[in-house]
Amino acid sequence: MRAKNELQQLSEAYQRVLCEAVNGNDIDLNADPSAQQVQKKAIPLEFRIAEQPETVQTLEGTVEAPVGAYIMTGTKGENWPIPADKFEETYDIIDDQHAAKKPIPVPAKQMQEDFFVTVSWSPDKLNGKPGDWLVQYGPGDYGVVEASIFDETYDVLGEDAEGLPQSARPSLANKLPDITGNLEAETI
């Protein structure tokens, strides 16, 4: 009976996401004024290569990984697959078990409602909840990042450590030495 109740709850949740959730694939974050430019931090993460097709349980849903896909392990032990070609484009290999994301700015938006995306290389859906981040890695290539993981692993570009826009801070370019070696007056 317990398994039947759990299955019913799962089915109801799945229907709620399909019927009420926003399709993140329909949002062009490059054109969305509420989106922000972000960049994943170069944190060394473990990876392994799928030796046979497998199902990977991510925080946002189940995703099928083909042979040769890289299976990443995140900072909280979460897993996600990446096709080999995308991995090679976007990660720097540190050693035979670790890689770090290359510094690639992408648009992202913290969502205020349930949402989902279909990954670009598979029919699998990833589900997000209010507070999670929708990230657009490229045209038609979307991901979901849980809020606390986003806070730990991404930098919002254009803001300093205090959350102020970089434009509100004096630029180092305004403090370049003149030919006598003296610092020029700061301009704001």
Side-chain angles (χ1 to χ4, degrees), residues 40-154:
K40 194 160 188 179
K41 297 176 183 177
I43 300 170
L45 300 173
E46 287 187 26
F47 72 85
R48 65 181 176 79
I49 300 173
E51 296 178 5
Q52 60 188 18
E54 63 182 274
T55 301
V56 177
Q57 183 60 48
T58 74
L59 291 177
E60 299 83 18
T62 302
V63 180
E64 297 299 319
V67 172
Y70 286 72
I71 312 299
M72 304 298 297
T73 299
T75 58
K76 298 194 184 284
E78 73 280 11
N79 295 110
W80 69 93
I82 302 174
D85 60 334
K86 288 189 179 287
F87 177 87
E88 291 164 4
E89 289 174 16
T90 60
Y91 280 82
D92 288 320
I93 294 176
I94 297 169
D95 60 34
D96 63 350
Q97 295 180 346
H98 297 90
K101 188 79 169 183
K102 293 178 181 179
I104 303 169
V106 294
K109 177 179 181 176
Q110 191 167 29
M111 300 295 285
Q112 303 305 309
E113 61 273 313
D114 289 329
F115 67 104
F116 67 92
V117 298
T118 304
V119 297
S120 64
W121 45 273
S122 160
D124 299 312
K125 290 195 181 328
L126 301 176
N127 299 305
K129 58 191 178 306
D132 290 349
W133 287 78
L134 173 64
V135 181
Q136 187 173 357
Y137 299 108
D141 187 13
Y142 292 85
V144 175
V145 181
E146 194 270 334
S148 68
I149 293 173
F150 183 92
D151 292 343
E152 181 180 339
T153 61
Y154 279 80

Side-chain angles (χ1 to χ4, degrees), residues 2-16:
R2 179 180 165 169
K4 185 176 180 182
N5 286 340
E6 289 175 357
L7 184 59
Q8 179 66 27
Q9 289 175 344
L10 184 62
S11 176
E12 289 171 4
Y14 185 72
Q15 288 299 321
R16 191 170 51 253

